[in-house]
Amino acid sequence: MWKIVALVGLALAGAAAIAQEDAEPPRRALLLALHDEAITPVTAGWVERAIDRAEDEGAACLVVVLDTPGGLVDSTRTVVKAMLRARVPVVVFVPPGGRAASAGVFVTLAAHVAAMAPGSNIGAAHPVRVGGLPIAPPEPAEGGPPGPEEPDRARPLAVVEEKAVNDTTAWARSLAELRGRNADWAASAVRESRSVTAEEAQREGVVDLLARDVAELLAIVDGREVELMQGPVVLRTAGALVAEIEAWWGQRLLAVLCRPNVAFLLVVFGFYGVLFELYSPGWGVAGTLGAVALVLGLFGLSFLPLNYVAVLLIAVALGMFVAEVFVTSYGVLALGGLACLVLGGTMLVDSPEGFLRISLRVVLPVAAATAAITVMLVGGIVR
């Protein structure tokens, strides 16, 4: 009898071992959170590295939680290209209260699965001219085309604007058609800056589905077939373990440096440090820190669309502050430098988007502090 029991026990143990070997390990879904992040070269690098990691780990999918006010066109194209050639499904999810504005529209349209949460919105993808004003194809004046007094000035500008709008519209349409989404809405988001809520976006075929959070999203998309470059893939995300990709400190530092206010402050403070060291014997801590701040500030500004007239105004302003120490101008040079610094700071980043502009709350105190330092230097020299 005991032999029969032993044989039954061995059989059950063997069956359990075989079942355990045949059982698939729990699937993993990687998550990259872009909360209130502009699409810049830094964030584009985050997305590229996240896709590479998802491919290397064989993840079920990469979920990009997207909440963005917009970004730079070149960086957006980098993100879209990385998503189109990805060997794992990329799911874009606009969280509750979030927005996929401007550049975020193209990132959402390029996703293999596009989802939004109630309370979010998407749209307003009109391109922006380098002059700081929205691009819109010029409308002819009443009665026909522009008059003969200014045809040559109006026509080149109209052609450039129309080319930019047409190019961006075609890009939005191509992405929407590739993913089977509403291409007409995509075109209107570019030409007319149209923006819709999450419910409207689903109803009009802009996004695929609505979900309240990432867990619900993964449960809904389980079993959905998506088309990758190498062929169709069925998503297996039910019960998947979600692992969030954290940016390392170097990436976070680069993101901070690319903020216009931070880059502007670093450039000005770097100038202070170097200037102080030039008026002091030898070379010390102030000069070293100033040089480092100046390099970091210029590095951050290199990622932003700059207005070079504003750069020249800031250079003139700093030159006037230096000249005030050596020239008896009775404060005229300091006042001129103050005006040039304020104008240059407000015009430095050539974009109408608020998140890319330098705030007056930063420019005005910096200009006032620079003028005060100049006055103290001049007072010390007089004494």
Side-chain angles (χ1 to χ4, degrees), residues 59 87 103 115 120 122 140 170-171 202 237 250 298 325 328:
R87 298 194 302 273
S120 59
I122 183 173
W171 184 29
Q202 185 194 30
T237 55
L298 293 175
V325 180
T328 305

Side-chain angles (χ1 to χ4, degrees), residues 55-70:
E55 293 174 348
D56 294 340
E57 296 183 6
C61 67
L62 170 67
V63 179
V64 179
V65 179
L66 182 68
D67 178 12
T68 178

Side-chain angles (χ1 to χ4, degrees), residues 138-322:
E139 298 179 359
E142 295 183 3
E149 67 277 0
E150 52 178 2
D152 294 335
R153 286 181 293 173
R155 190 175 297 111
L157 181 60
V159 170
V160 171
E161 293 176 346
E162 186 176 3
K163 286 174 64 176
V165 172
N166 290 341
D167 177 69
T168 312
T169 303
W171 184 29
R173 273 190 170 277
S174 65
L175 292 175
E177 291 172 355
L178 177 66
R179 301 303 188 202
R181 301 192 178 108
N182 191 335
D184 291 334
W185 180 91
S188 67
V190 175
R191 289 192 174 276
E192 304 169 15
S193 293
R194 188 178 176 190
S195 185
V196 293
T197 64
E199 291 76 11
E200 292 172 328
Q202 185 194 30
R203 188 166 55 249
E204 297 190 26
V206 179
V207 297
D208 303 316
L209 55 97
L210 299 182
R212 288 172 294 183
D213 52 34
V214 174
E216 182 180 4
L217 171 65
L218 293 178
I220 294 175
V221 301
D222 182 62
R224 179 186 290 264
E225 184 177 278
V226 298
E227 191 72 27
L228 303 182
M229 294 294 291
Q230 65 270 24
V233 172
V234 177
L235 285 166
R236 300 298 181 192
T237 55
L241 300 176
V242 179
E244 184 172 354
I245 299 175
E246 296 285 349
W248 65 291
W249 68 269
Q251 293 172 328
R252 291 294 179 188
L253 176 61
L254 292 179
V256 171
L257 292 178
C258 287
R259 295 177 181 175
N261 289 329
V262 175
F264 175 74
L265 288 174
L266 285 173
V267 169
V268 174
F269 291 157
F271 170 78
Y272 288 162
V274 173
L275 183 64
F276 175 80
E277 203 62 51
L278 291 176
Y279 288 111
S280 304
W283 190 268
V285 177
T288 302
L289 293 179
V292 172
L294 195 58
V295 171
L296 292 177
L298 293 175
F299 174 79
L301 291 176
S302 67
F303 290 104
L304 300 172
L306 297 182
N307 183 332
Y308 292 102
V309 174
V311 174
L312 182 60
L313 281 172
I314 293 175
V316 170
L318 298 178
M320 286 183 175
F321 288 132
V322 173

Side-chain angles (χ1 to χ4, degrees), residues 87-98:
R87 298 194 302 273
V88 296
V90 179
V91 180
V92 170
F93 176 59
V94 185

